[in-house]
Amino acid sequence: MSRVLVPCHVKGTVALQVGDVRTAQGRPGVLVIDVTFPCVAPFELQEITFKNYYTAFLSVRVRQYTSIHTQAKWVTCLRDHCLMPDPHSEEGAQEYVSLSKHQMLCDVARVLELRLILRQPSPLWLSFTVEELQVYQQGAKSPSMTFPKWLSHPAPCEQPAPLAETKILGRDRVKLMESLVVGDIAELRPNQGTLSLFTNEAGGILDDLIVTNAAEGHLYMVSNAGCRDKDLALMQDKVRELQSRGGDVGLEVVDNALLALQGPAAAQVLQAGVAGDLRKLPFMTSAVMEVFGVPGCRVTRCGYTGEDGVEISVPAARAARLAEALLANPEVRLAGLAARDSLRLEAGLCLYGSDIDEHTTPVEGGLGWTLGRRRRAAMDFPGAAVIVPQLKGQVPRRRVGLTCEGAPMRAHSPILSAEGAVIGAVTSGCPSPCLKRNVAMGYVPPEYSQPGTPLLVEVRRRQQEAVVSKMPFVPTNYYTLK
C-alpha cells in the first residue's frame, strides 16, 4: 500500500520515573508521547515508524473525528505490543520499528490526534524515549527511507501466515488420512469437511487441520503454515509406507493462496461475484467455482472467527486481483492478525502452538468432539491408547475460559487458586472488543474447571480476581441450513 508522510507536531513527552507522582498523563515508568496534526484534515493512518532504544510495551491511542454533532473520541488501537530491540548492534540496543494499520485492533480512519504510551517491564526504570517519529497516511507515492547500516530495517507489515494446502489422491486416500488423524474421514459426504487433528503416539496434538472430501475425487487438506514442513514429512512417510505395501495413494502440494472473507455480510458480498446460490452452501462445505472472474477457486463456508464467512482458495497468481475485487465493496476491509486473534479467542477457538501443542491431548484441550465415534471404538489412530480412556476418566488438566476485570490476562500469566497456589497458566488472552472485558484461555486441574469457579491470575506481578467462564465467550454465528 502506498503512503505519504503526515506533518506532525509532538505536543509533549512525559517520562515518569520511580518516585514521581501520578499525573493525568501517565504513571511511574511510563513514557507518554502526544502527537497532533495541525495542518492536516482527518486522515486514515497507514503506518507509524520510529527508533526505539529499550524493551517496552507499547499501546497506541487515536482521537477520531465522528461528526460535527458529536465530540471526537479516543480509542485504543494497539495494546501492549512488545518492543524488543537487538542488543547486539554496533551502537547498542536500538532499532527502527514499523507499525502498520493491519496490526491495529480497530479502524484507524479519520484520525485527529495520536498518543503513544510506552511502559517498561523492568523494575529498574531507565530514562527512555523514541526518536525519528514519523506518521504516514495512504497516498500515491511511497517514500524511500535510508537507514544507517548498523540499524535493522523497518519490520515488514505483519501479514497473516499462509495456510498449507494439499490434495491426497488415489483409492487409499481415506486410509492414509485415517492412519494419521482422529476424525472419521470415511463418513464425509462429497464436499463436506471437518476439523481434525494429527496426533502422536503419546496422544499429543501435532497440528489441527481441515479435511474435505472433494467431489472431484480427492481429499483436500488445509493445515497451519507454521507446521507445513513437519506435516508434509509426516504424510510423505506414511505415503511411502502404504505404497511399499501396494497402496494406491499420492500427495499434491497446491500452490494457492487463501483469502478469508468473514462477517455477517460475507455471503452477500461474495454472492455478487459467483453464479451459484451460496444459501445452499452451509458451514463446513465447499465447492469449486469462478469468483469475480477468477476460475478454479474453492470456496469453503468456514473461518476462524466464530462468524459466518468463507475461505477462498485461489491460484496464487490471481490472489491480488481477487482481493482487490472484494475490497471494491465498501463493506469489506482488510483485517490484521490482532483482529483475527481477538475474534477466535471470543469464539473459544484454539491457536496451535499457544493453546494446543504436541504435549496436549485432544481431551485436555476440549477437542474430544473431533474424535469420530467409529474411530473411538476402533482405537486405530495414533495415541488412541492414551486419548480414548481420557474421554471417560480423569485428565491431569483441562482447557478453560477465564474472564477478569483490570489488566488483561496474557499468555504465560500464572493461574492461582483462591488460596494463592499456582495451578496453571494462561495460554491466550486479550481484551474482548465485543464484551468490553478481558477474556483468556488456560489450563487448570479438573477440580478447578467448573464455570463460576473463582480463581486468581497474576498480571504484572499483581494478583487479580478471575472467574472460570463457559466458552465461547461470544455466541458463534455459523451458517447452517434451516
Side-chain angles (χ1 to χ4, degrees), residues 28-42:
V30 173
L31 176 70
V32 180
I33 303 173
D34 284 327
V35 185
T36 58
F37 309 95
C39 302
V40 180

Side-chain angles (χ1 to χ4, degrees), residues 19-66:
D20 286 356
V21 178
R22 288 175 179 265
T23 72
Q25 288 80 25
R27 60 174 184 263
V30 173
L31 176 70
V32 180
I33 303 173
D34 284 327
V35 185
T36 58
F37 309 95
C39 302
V40 180
F43 64 94
E44 181 171 355
L45 179 65
Q46 177 70 23
E47 189 173 8
I48 305 169
T49 66
F50 57 87
K51 189 164 71 172
N52 172 52
Y53 288 87
Y54 297 105
T55 298
F57 292 105
L58 169 68
S59 295
V60 178
R61 303 197 75 206
V62 295
R63 192 166 73 92
Q64 293 178 307
Y65 173 82
T66 51

